[in-house]
Amino acid sequence: MDRRTFLRAAVIGTSTSVAFGFSVAPQALAFPAQTGTSPYGGLQAADANGLMLPTGFTSRVLARSTQTVPGTSYTWHSAPDGGACFADGTGWIYVSNSEMSSGGGGAGALRFNSSGSVTGAYRILSGTTRNCSGGATPWGTWLSGEETDLGYIWETDPKGATAAVRRPALGRFSHEAAAVDPDRRVIYLTEDEPSGGFYRFVPTTWGNLSAGTLQVLRESGSTLSWVTVPDPDGSPTRTRKQVSGMKVFNGGEGCYYRNGTCFFTTKGDNRVWAYNAVNNTIAIAYDDNLTPNPPLTGVDNITAATVGDLYVAEDGGNMEICIITPNDIVAPFLRVTGQSGSELCGVAFNPAGNRLYFSSQRGTSGSSSGGITYEVTGPFRTSL
């Protein structure tokens, strides 16, 4: 199993599964992740783009909000947020949300050739509101979530060839991220509310999101169960208030599924959670109150490298992207300087895993029109 046998604690010397974080005090376990030294070493002085990176890594600015993407005719959107990469022949596409209000949101994309040069930029979703995060599907679409009361999930085409489709069956609430679990054929969803839920959507037909069942995680003692939300439309009663005993998560943010585990973040308590879908248990993978001198605060978007390292972007904190290794060490991977009025988001690797993309939502100006989208290239590790 990935992540050092579920953070070394899916089984604590026995064959008994436990709903970690509830019936067992997390301080007594081998996790959450503890402050330590990054496998990439310390951060170097800021480069010309204001990024502090490990030795051997370089950065480049790909796009700036309200400015034309170099080599294209497309004006990059304001407030870039959640993102993901998709294979595109010998190249790839990076999709980025726009967290603008009042119908000014949506999503845009950058197209790259095999050498990493930008060959195109274009809009894939328009007229929506506060598109914050989302998730990629195995069938090659981007699920873009509206972070607003009674918001929708929109299914979009990263290539821009097919019009975006609203998917009301996935529920109406303050959507943040989505993560597809192809093993159980469900989609996990986070909710950006202090009293939010952790949801999963079970499509009637796999690969078709037009119909299905929305469920929310419920806790009863140390037992977790998935309960159907009676009215996914959320009106007049909001989805998070429909199921008695729903497990409450304080401000759901990023969400990423891999090898039987869905990792997701909650900003209200600066935690990274690990939901073990195989055993139906949940653990605290990181908590800034449970390690000295915590490097990671303001947890937000999350992704992972093939080797198993998690990368978590900060909304606030030191404006860092931090790494959580499979042996439970948390440390800064990079820091953006001179942008304290912004937040980092949209962390995603290209298909080869040797380029990391992310955005500073408000850049140096601190305003939505000042967003900057970056690429970091370097010797990302391929083995532990």
Side-chain angles (χ1 to χ4, degrees):
M1 184 177 288
D2 175 86
R3 295 286 294 151
R4 192 63 66 84
T5 314
F6 191 52
L7 299 173
R8 298 199 304 262
V11 178
I12 312 174
T14 73
S15 59
T16 303
S17 296
V18 183
F20 298 119
F22 305 115
S23 59
V24 175
Q27 296 90 333
L29 306 177
F31 69 95
Q34 297 296 297
T35 303
T37 301
S38 167
Y40 296 106
L43 303 182
Q44 304 302 300
D47 65 11
N49 297 319
L51 271 60
M52 297 174 64
L53 299 166
T55 299
F57 288 83
T58 59
S59 73
R60 65 169 170 159
V61 172
L62 297 172
R64 296 179 182 271
S65 296
T66 71
Q67 297 183 24
T68 302
V69 177
T72 77
S73 60
Y74 179 72
T75 301
W76 196 237
H77 49 270
S78 293
D81 207 293
C85 280
F86 299 83
D88 181 42
T90 59
W92 60 92
I93 296 168
Y94 175 66
V95 167
S96 169
N97 278 345
S98 173
E99 196 184 6
M100 295 295 287
S101 301
S102 306
L110 297 171
R111 176 174 272 126
F112 299 84
N113 62 18
S114 58
S115 65
S117 297
V118 176
T119 61
Y122 46 91
R123 175 68 68 147
I124 64 171
L125 176 65
S126 299
T128 53
T129 296
R130 292 185 59 82
N131 295 80
C132 198
S133 193
T137 70
W139 49 91
T141 59
W142 166 247
L143 304 180
S144 181
E146 291 182 297
E147 186 199 343
T148 184
D149 188 40
L150 298 179
Y152 288 101
I153 288 285
W154 291 79
E155 187 169 17
T156 69
D157 175 13
K159 297 181 179 179
T162 304
V165 180
R166 190 173 67 186
R167 297 300 190 190
L170 277 72
R172 297 189 67 186
F173 52 87
S174 185
H175 280 283
E176 186 72 28
V180 177
D181 176 351
D183 304 309
R184 274 144 293 276
R185 297 192 166 189
V186 300
I187 299 171
Y188 302 107
L189 302 161
T190 57
E191 181 176 24
D192 194 352
E193 290 281 353
S195 59
F198 180 53
Y199 301 84
R200 74 176 187 183
F201 177 71
V202 186
T204 302
T205 303
W206 184 238
N208 183 340
L209 303 184
S210 62
T213 303
L214 181 68
Q215 300 176 324
V216 70
L217 191 66
R218 180 166 67 185
E219 176 190 9
S220 178
S222 62
T223 301
L224 302 177
S225 59
W226 290 100
V227 181
T228 297
V229 176
D231 181 17
D233 188 58
S235 181
T237 303
R238 299 298 183 258
T239 54
R240 64 185 180 278
K241 297 181 179 180
Q242 294 181 24
V243 174
S244 176
M246 179 195 83
K247 173 59 186 170
V248 173
F249 293 95
N250 190 351
E253 290 285 337
C255 190
Y256 185 89
Y257 173 85
R258 178 179 174 174
N259 293 353
T261 301
C262 183
F263 298 95
F264 64 99
T265 63
T266 48
K267 66 184 180 185
D269 47 18
N270 277 314
R271 285 178 171 177
V272 179
W273 298 84
Y275 171 70
N276 185 328
V278 178
N279 297 329
N280 192 40
T281 57
I282 198 161
I284 300 171
Y286 172 80
D287 185 327
D288 71 337
N289 285 323
L290 299 178
T291 185
N293 301 313
L296 174 60
T297 58
V299 298
D300 204 297
N301 289 180
I302 185 171
T303 193
T306 303
V307 75
D309 295 324
L310 296 175
Y311 288 77
V312 185
E314 289 187 329
D315 178 357
N318 290 333
M319 286 290 288
E320 293 176 341
I321 294 176
C322 289
I323 185 173
I324 302 177
T325 69
N327 51 340
D328 310 326
I329 295 298
V330 58
F333 170 72
L334 66 78
R335 180 183 300 168
V336 177
T337 63
Q339 300 185 32
S340 60
S342 187
E343 65 182 86
L344 303 185
C345 44
V347 287
F349 281 95
N350 70 330
N354 59 1
R355 298 170 189 258
L356 178 68
Y357 298 95
F358 72 96
S359 293
S360 172
Q361 190 177 87
R362 295 177 292 279
T364 58
S365 70
S367 66
S368 297
S369 61
I372 309 171
T373 298
Y374 298 92
E375 176 191 80
V376 170
T377 305
F380 289 100
R381 61 184 188 160
T382 57
S383 62
L384 299 177

